[in-house]
Amino acid sequence: MKILNFGSLNLDHIYRVEHFTGAKETQITEAPITIPGGKGLNESIALARAGAEVWQAGMIGEDGQMLLDTLQKEGVHTEFVRIIPEKTGHAIVQVDIMGQNAVLQYGGANNCITEEFIDEVLEAFGEGDVILLQNQISCLPQLIDKAYDKGMQIILKPSPYTDSLLKCDLSKVSMFLVNRTEGRSLTTFVQPGDMMIEFRTRYPHANILLTLAENGAFFVDKESSLYQPAIKMKENDTTGAGDVFIGFFLSSYLDGAPIQAAMERAAAASAISITRTGSASSTPTKEEVDELLKQMKKSK
């Protein structure tokens, strides 16, 4: 079983602010930090640091060499990352004094994915392989259809929620990875319990991982519903914490670990990440996660 992450590759420009900038307001900040980002890259690095073998597919511009270098350094397969004559996707990230973030995103090369490129990439994958997707690239409906036709397991993080998701046949998705905002947008419900019931009603063949930040996470499948509380640590920057959770959860889940163990490992990884700055750069190693879990067991 191979894991293909067909997703976004961004340059994240991070600005520290006292509060999120409002209408007609100007804030003076220190020089921004530019680091690798994009949900595709973030989740590939989290998967790799958790111990999984993963292939990244996507597009960058000539200004995105940092992203390619980062993926290769982490051991992610990059033969399906294309450099094209377009600006690399980027994000403007405000991080306030509480560690919360607000993001402006420009798609750039991420919006240049074509059906021809999809066919070229999927030629190397087949039935039973896993494809991880987010809503930050073009041709997502076609990508879902083509991966489904090949018999791949489709795991979708529907972020950000846009009308383009309405064009996707979501009945083909094997697992949804959603936070409270995405869950509300897809189901119209506010309470986590109602969201999960609605997901199970609409997509009875899919599993659901619902992450609720400091309120923990739920996993729901045909047989059961499991809850994992958040592991509390001092927040510095929450950017990318959800991607870290997803990467570590999927690494364990796809390796056959019990769901509860996979969720606990993901919670530990996410807790470590929020003590650091950035998205991909904040991802812990599997050794760091193992050490935290070891310390937690000792303290019980």
Side-chain angles (χ1 to χ4, degrees):
M1 181 185 67
K2 293 193 287 188
I3 303 173
L4 168 64
N5 187 355
F6 208 132
S8 56
L9 301 161
N10 286 344
L11 294 168
D12 284 355
H13 306 298
I14 299 178
Y15 294 82
R16 286 279 179 179
V17 295
E18 288 190 358
H19 56 271
F20 299 145
T21 307
K24 300 182 180 180
E25 179 185 12
T26 298
Q27 282 197 79
I28 305 300
T29 74
E30 298 177 358
I33 302 170
T34 299
I35 58 176
K39 288 194 173 297
L41 181 141
N42 293 346
E43 291 169 10
S44 282
I45 289 179
L47 279 160
R49 290 195 181 181
E53 186 174 19
V54 58
W55 280 257
Q56 176 73 49
M59 291 185 172
I60 58 175
E62 292 182 356
D63 57 338
Q65 186 64 43
M66 173 198 289
L67 307 181
L68 193 58
D69 292 344
T70 298
L71 288 167
Q72 291 171 346
K73 181 180 177 182
E74 297 290 343
V76 177
H77 296 276
T78 59
E79 56 263 42
F80 302 118
V81 177
R82 295 287 179 269
I83 300 176
I84 63 172
E86 174 61 73
K87 285 280 189 182
T88 298
H90 70 255
I92 305 297
V93 184
Q94 294 183 66
V95 179
D96 70 10
I97 58 176
M98 301 300 294
Q100 299 299 305
N101 65 78
V103 182
L104 287 174
Q105 183 176 292
Y106 168 71
N110 296 308
N111 290 335
C112 297
I113 305 297
T114 63
E115 290 196 53
E116 290 76 17
F117 180 56
I118 291 171
D119 290 337
E120 178 186 345
V121 173
L122 294 187
E123 187 66 29
F125 300 87
E127 186 173 359
D129 288 339
V130 172
I131 184 167
L132 175 59
L133 302 171
Q134 311 85 26
N135 190 30
Q136 291 185 326
I137 60 173
S138 54
C139 286
L140 182 63
Q142 295 89 337
L143 189 46
I144 289 175
D145 291 343
K146 290 175 182 289
Y148 183 83
D149 289 343
K150 290 184 73 74
M152 300 179 74
Q153 300 178 57
I154 300 170
I155 300 178
L156 174 65
K157 172 69 171 173
S159 176
Y161 180 85
T162 65
D163 289 344
S164 64
L165 286 168
L166 302 178
K167 302 175 183 177
C168 298
D169 186 351
L170 298 181
S171 68
K172 296 177 178 179
V173 173
S174 305
M175 183 188 298
F176 291 93
L177 311 169
V178 296
N179 61 21
R180 189 188 298 272
T181 300
E182 295 144 10
R184 182 169 60 245
S185 297
L186 283 169
T187 68
T188 73
F189 288 101
V190 175
Q191 296 303 318
D194 295 331
M195 289 180 196
M196 289 184 289
I197 291 172
E198 183 66 12
F199 268 112
R200 295 296 304 146
T201 301
R202 292 189 192 181
Y203 312 109
H205 302 295
N207 297 336
I208 301 98
L209 177 68
L210 173 62
T211 57
L212 301 168
E214 69 276 7
N215 293 318
F218 286 93
F219 179 87
V220 180
D221 60 17
K222 296 176 183 177
E223 286 78 37
S224 60
S225 174
L226 297 174
Y227 174 69
Q228 170 63 46
I231 297 172
K232 304 296 184 182
M233 298 184 76
K234 183 176 175 58
E235 290 185 6
N236 178 57
D237 180 2
T238 59
T239 307
D243 297 330
V244 172
F245 191 104
I246 286 169
F248 272 79
F249 171 79
L250 289 178
S251 175
S252 296
Y253 173 81
L254 296 173
D255 198 39
I259 302 297
Q260 198 71 67
M263 292 180 71
E264 183 180 38
R265 188 170 181 78
S270 181
I272 294 171
S273 77
I274 66 173
T275 67
R276 302 169 178 176
T277 298
S279 45
S281 58
S282 70
T283 306
T285 63
K286 60 181 179 180
E287 290 80 12
E288 289 175 314
V289 174
D290 288 341
E291 180 60 28
L292 176 57
L293 291 172
K294 181 179 177 181
Q295 292 175 6
M296 288 172 56
K297 288 178 180 178
K298 284 183 178 181
S299 64
K300 287 182 178 179

